[in-house]
Amino acid sequence: MRHFISTRELSAASIFNILNTAEEMRENPDLFSGNYFAANLFFEPSTRTKMSFLMAEKKLGMEVLDFQMESSSMAKGESLYDTARTYEAIGADLLIVRHKHDRWFDELAQKLSVPMINAGSGKRDHPTQSMLDLLTIYQEFGSFNNLNIVIAGDIKHSRVARSNAYALRTMGANVYFSAAPGFEDDSLGIPYMSIDEACEMCDVLMLLRVQHERHATTSHDTSSYLVNYGLTPEREQRMQDHAIILHPAPVNRGVEIDTGLVECERSRIFKQMENGVYTRMAIISILLNEWGFDHEHITEKCQTLKV
Ligand code: CP
């Protein structure tokens, strides 16, 4: 793979390679290092993705070129394409891009001669989030085969739901959705269940943020959303003993999840964030290696890695 754009293109072997490399990166961050330059081009707000990419790049010994959309020449009308080409011309070896358009990468992927990683594209893809979610599940269960995983919440506006649905099905999990009326998306052919059914049968409950900023109108009263469609303490009590809770965050506390459950025993929400650093280190190192960039410290093992 030349770019890391979507989970739709990933095989099970590629995903396992990323997860295993992430675990190796946690143990030995020096597995890959080199004097590379990364540009983190975020055109939408971010805390976790942007900062964990920054941490991953620093741990890999990379230099990071600054980008602030408001003070860049995009404020003078420069396009994404010209901005990306500029960073390439200046010497960036890798572009990390988050953008509101579902397919921002189409034109760039054909024309750029440096690798790109999708850090979130509209409502379509968030593949690095998906890989850190899968790592968190893999650490817990050691396998994906026949795990019952329910993705619950604002499916319609969620790139996390789409990326995870593709990746989890590839890995052999049983994937279900749960959504309030108006938040469904039937295009993936995934069965739906109520949040009550979901809590009782799932091994993994992956909650999604209600994405108010992507709604044309506010369609749900947030005060009743938790009781009708979210994870309340009563529902959490009915989950199986071994079941875990995931959420990509940021969390709307008291909307999709009761605030007291965000850090409860079965929550892995902050573990997901920690895993994001190692997962992104793995994806960066695999991709740079795939492009054949020379570096001094790469091990024999890393040279065999492929996405
Ligand atoms: N989960 C996630 O993408 O969070 P940020 O928007 O803070 O990056």
Side-chain angles (χ1 to χ4, degrees), residues 3-76:
H3 306 285
F4 192 78
I5 297 298
S6 173
T7 56
R8 296 160 211 236
E9 300 150 3
L10 295 176
S11 65
S14 300
I15 292 173
F16 272 129
N17 188 24
I18 291 167
L19 306 187
N20 291 329
T21 306
E23 290 293 16
E24 287 170 12
M25 290 290 175
R26 184 195 306 277
E27 299 301 318
N28 180 11
D30 295 332
L31 189 62
F32 180 101
S33 66
N35 191 23
Y36 299 110
F37 289 86
N40 297 338
L41 308 180
F42 279 67
F43 302 93
E44 281 189 332
S46 171
T47 299
R48 274 147 291 275
T49 311
K50 189 173 179 180
M51 289 304 118
S52 60
F53 264 116
L54 187 61
M55 183 63 87
E57 290 153 353
K58 298 274 185 194
K59 281 177 179 272
L60 292 172
M62 302 176 80
E63 301 285 342
V64 184
L65 301 173
D66 189 34
F67 175 76
Q68 301 294 335
M69 187 173 73
E70 298 75 19
S71 57
S72 77
S73 284
M74 292 195 90
K76 295 181 265 185

Side-chain angles (χ1 to χ4, degrees), residues 137-296:
I137 296 168
Y138 192 48
Q139 287 169 343
E140 205 71 37
F141 298 99
S143 167
F144 297 93
N145 269 340
N146 293 321
L147 280 182
N148 291 323
I149 301 179
V150 182
I151 305 176
D154 188 357
I155 306 285
K156 183 175 177 179
H157 302 97
S158 176
R159 54 196 177 205
V160 176
R162 267 168 272 284
S163 280
N164 272 319
Y166 281 103
L168 288 166
R169 282 196 302 198
T170 297
M171 302 307 280
N174 303 319
V175 183
Y176 304 91
F177 284 161
S178 179
F183 282 176
E184 308 99 331
D185 175 1
D186 293 324
S187 64
L188 286 94
I190 290 190
Y192 280 79
M193 62 177 60
S194 73
I195 189 69
D196 288 300
E197 289 173 287
C199 288
E200 285 165 20
M201 64 77 74
C202 74
D203 300 301
V204 178
L205 181 63
M206 184 182 292
L207 297 165
L208 300 174
R209 184 172 66 88
V210 177
Q211 303 206 28
H212 300 290
E213 76 280 13
R214 298 192 197 277
H215 298 177
T217 57
T218 303
S219 51
H220 284 277
D221 171 11
T222 52
S223 60
S224 59
Y225 185 91
L226 177 66
V227 171
N228 292 327
Y229 308 108
L231 185 62
T232 59
E234 293 72 28
R235 290 190 178 111
E236 189 270 339
Q237 288 289 308
R238 283 187 269 132
M239 292 175 74
Q240 300 184 76
D241 287 347
H242 67 265
I244 61 169
I245 300 163
L246 304 184
H247 190 308
V251 175
N252 292 315
R253 286 175 179 258
V255 180
E256 59 267 1
I257 181 171
D258 182 273
T259 190
L261 298 177
V262 173
E263 293 170 76
C264 73
E265 201 177 327
R266 62 168 96 243
S267 168
R268 300 292 181 270
I269 296 173
F270 288 92
K271 184 70 180 171
Q272 288 172 268
M273 297 176 205
E274 180 193 330
N275 282 337
V277 175
Y278 301 104
T279 308
R280 288 170 174 127
M281 288 173 73
I283 293 166
I284 290 170
S285 63
I286 292 169
L287 202 56
L288 288 178
N289 188 54
E290 178 80 4
W291 278 67
F293 287 4
D294 275 337
H295 42 82
E296 295 165 20

Side-chain angles (χ1 to χ4, degrees), residues 68-105:
Q68 301 294 335
M69 187 173 73
E70 298 75 19
S71 57
S72 77
S73 284
M74 292 195 90
K76 295 181 265 185
E78 192 165 39
S79 66
L80 168 61
Y81 175 76
D82 284 333
T83 303
R85 287 284 286 118
T86 300
Y87 273 86
E88 180 191 28
I90 287 168
D93 299 303
L94 171 69
L95 303 184
I96 315 286
V97 182
R98 170 175 285 195
H99 199 278
K100 67 180 179 184
H101 288 146
D102 283 3
R103 302 191 62 94
W104 60 259
F105 40 81

